[in-house]
Amino acid sequence: MVRLDDVTVFVRTADRGSLSAAARELEISPALASAAVKRLEGELGIRLFARTTRSLRLTDEGERYLRHARDALRALQDGHDALAEGKETLGGVLKMSMPSDLGRNMLVGWLDQFQHLYPKVSYQLSVGDRLSDLYRQPVDIAIRYGRQDDSSLIALPLAPDNRRVLVASPEYVRRHGPLADLHDLARHNCLRFMLDDVIHDRWNFYPMHGAAEQGAPVAVQVHGDRSADDADLVRRWAVAGLGVAYKSRLDVSGDLRAGRLVVLMPDVAGEPTPLHMVCMHRSQVSATVLTLRDFLREQCGKA
């Protein structure tokens, strides 16, 4: 395989008419420069230079290859310049809505990092668990969990394989014991999430065979002494040792790493909760939005 560094040495040598002059400009030894040219000749199967003790000149094959080598290096430089220009020009106001838990504890920090990379980007953020109506509210982008069934919206996946996990604090597990099976949840205080005044008290789990789901989901009716329409509050209750929560793994990834929460029954697959960036119109999918999508997808993969 032709190495870019070898092509650079070849072009510089042809420009300067001397291996030693090219080596000085590239800040490498003449021996390394000579080895680079020989390696390139070996890869191409031709002689690029005719060498004597006093001179170095391009062969006919070298003359022909030089044109292509210059074009290749110029194209790579143009690509580099375009990326650098894009970094400088990416910007604008992003009006975004996001879930409370993920928004406060993960996304806001990631957006700070993104803004550091692209300082011309600014945000207007709406944080909450009620679904934003993109047709009525002044929001360009919504970060949403779950399947996106509205085919009129543009959904850009961020964490397509994310699922819910059963979690509790180590203190809670010490006091109440681990789960023997899913139906053992009946004896535990389950911390429930409420959306649009409906309490999420039927928790679905999926039998697995290897890495694939198998069979119908198992629905478990749960009970507890508290519920909230703020997912971050449910997470805080779990960290405080007040019960068992059924949370998106992304929401609790920091707590799991820090040991504030542990996963109960890790061999049981929870509900799929894919995370998407959703826009109303394709015209809103700008270069800035696509770059942010790629950045957030990378952060989700690390979480």
Side-chain angles (χ1 to χ4, degrees):
M1 179 180 295
V2 171
R3 293 168 53 169
L4 177 61
D5 290 346
D6 295 349
V7 176
T8 302
V9 171
F10 163 65
V11 171
R12 197 65 60 90
T13 301
D15 289 343
R16 299 295 174 261
S18 165
L19 272 168
S20 58
R24 282 194 300 272
E25 285 194 6
L26 295 170
E27 298 183 341
I28 60 176
S29 70
L32 284 177
S34 179
V37 171
K38 288 179 180 177
R39 187 165 46 239
L40 181 59
E41 288 178 327
E43 288 290 339
L44 298 174
I46 60 173
R47 289 186 64 196
L48 296 169
F49 293 104
R51 302 170 179 83
T52 69
T53 56
R54 295 188 177 183
S55 68
L56 184 75
R57 64 176 179 80
L58 286 165
T59 63
D60 291 341
E61 293 88 349
E63 290 277 7
R64 290 197 296 272
Y65 185 70
L66 180 61
R67 294 194 296 272
H68 298 291
R70 288 192 197 284
D71 289 343
L73 293 178
R74 188 178 300 113
L76 288 170
Q77 185 61 50
D78 290 345
H80 178 274
D81 293 344
L83 288 175
E85 181 182 354
K87 184 171 181 177
E88 291 298 322
T89 58
L90 287 181
V93 179
L94 296 178
K95 299 177 182 179
M96 305 174 63
S97 69
M98 60 189 65
S100 65
D101 198 344
L102 186 70
R104 293 189 184 103
N105 299 305
M106 304 290 280
L107 284 172
V108 168
W110 294 342
L111 291 176
D112 289 343
Q113 295 176 42
F114 186 78
Q115 195 174 50
H116 179 74
L117 293 172
Y118 305 101
K120 293 184 180 180
V121 173
S122 59
Y123 307 120
Q124 292 180 11
L125 304 182
S126 174
V127 180
D129 289 311
R130 292 186 180 274
L131 295 180
S132 298
D133 186 340
L134 297 183
Y135 297 101
R136 295 177 179 271
Q137 298 183 4
V139 173
D140 301 319
I141 302 168
I143 308 294
R144 287 182 176 175
Y145 279 123
R147 292 177 53 191
Q148 303 304 312
D149 296 324
D150 188 341
S151 60
S152 66
L153 298 176
I154 309 301
L156 307 174
L158 298 179
D161 299 324
N162 187 56
R163 287 180 177 268
R164 294 188 185 277
V165 288
L166 284 169
V167 293
S169 71
E171 177 195 358
Y172 180 89
V173 175
R174 282 193 296 270
R175 285 190 283 113
H176 298 277
L179 290 176
D181 56 40
L182 289 176
H183 297 288
D184 197 26
L185 283 168
R187 70 176 181 86
H188 286 271
N189 190 43
C190 293
L191 309 170
R192 296 159 298 158
F193 176 64
M194 181 169 58
L195 183 63
D196 294 331
D197 299 323
V198 177
I199 297 176
H200 181 54
D201 58 2
R202 285 178 63 84
W203 294 355
N204 292 318
F205 303 89
Y206 294 79
M208 300 291 289
H209 181 70
E213 291 180 13
Q214 184 176 10
V218 176
V220 179
Q221 186 78 35
V222 298
H223 306 277
D225 63 5
R226 61 192 67 202
S227 61
D229 63 357
D230 187 314
D232 188 36
L233 182 54
V234 174
R235 183 191 62 83
R236 290 171 184 266
W237 285 338
V239 170
L242 299 176
V244 175
Y246 193 33
K247 296 283 295 175
S248 156
R249 179 175 283 277
L250 275 175
D251 285 352
V252 295
S253 58
D255 297 312
L256 294 174
R257 284 195 302 271
R260 293 184 292 267
L261 294 173
V262 295
V263 175
L264 308 177
M265 305 197 70
D267 295 333
V268 174
E271 287 181 333
T273 52
L275 185 69
H276 294 85
M277 175 187 286
V278 182
C279 301
M280 187 170 67
H281 299 297
R282 191 164 294 279
S283 61
Q284 293 172 310
V285 185
S286 63
T288 301
V289 169
L290 289 175
T291 304
L292 177 60
R293 182 274 312 271
D294 293 342
F295 178 82
L296 292 180
R297 187 159 55 187
E298 180 181 0
Q299 301 310 307
C300 288
K302 296 176 181 177

